[in-house]
Amino acid sequence: MKKAPTKPDDSATTVRCSSRVYFQVRAQAVIYPVFPTQKPKRASVLTCDLSSSGVKIRYTSPLTRGQQLDLVLGERQRRAEVVWCRRHEDAYSIGCRFVK
């Protein structure tokens, strides 16, 4: 019997290529809008964990899958793209992958 093909899943349950480490710091971010007619927004986010391929953050508003942001982590700035976003208590947990 053939198995039905499975489609790729970019959710939080996807097998990770890199191990994560606990990394909780307040970071500055520039959040780029989904629609180019809007302006980027400066914000403060809380990082939760970090790997070589991405970061999980907490933020007060939801972000859209594919939306991009620049995160200042220490002395480095990294571009990230939202992979998933879930409501978590009084904020949102957001999984991002690094794109630069």
Side-chain angles (χ1 to χ4, degrees), residues 76-92:
R76 281 188 80 183
Q77 180 173 307
R78 298 289 308 264
R79 174 70 55 101
E81 180 178 86
V82 175
V83 177
W84 56 267
C85 178
R86 290 189 181 81
R87 178 93 175 145
H88 184 76
E89 297 173 2
D90 61 341
Y92 291 85

Side-chain angles (χ1 to χ4, degrees), residues 12-82:
T13 59
T14 302
V15 176
R16 300 181 192 290
C17 300
S18 310
S19 60
R20 293 179 289 172
V21 293
Y22 176 78
F23 183 73
Q24 190 169 14
V25 297
R26 184 69 48 193
Q28 293 304 306
V30 175
I31 301 171
Y32 294 96
V34 176
F35 302 105
T37 56
Q38 299 172 335
K39 292 183 180 181
K41 179 181 178 180
R42 293 192 180 277
S44 179
V45 300
L46 179 67
T47 64
C48 301
D49 59 48
L50 179 71
S51 74
S52 61
S53 60
V55 63
K56 180 170 78 172
I57 62 171
R58 296 218 358 153
Y59 184 53
T60 54
S61 299
L63 298 181
T64 303
R65 185 176 175 168
Q67 193 168 359
Q68 294 198 349
L69 56 149
D70 288 332
L71 288 171
V72 178
L73 301 170
E75 294 184 16
R76 281 188 80 183
Q77 180 173 307
R78 298 289 308 264
R79 174 70 55 101
E81 180 178 86
V82 175

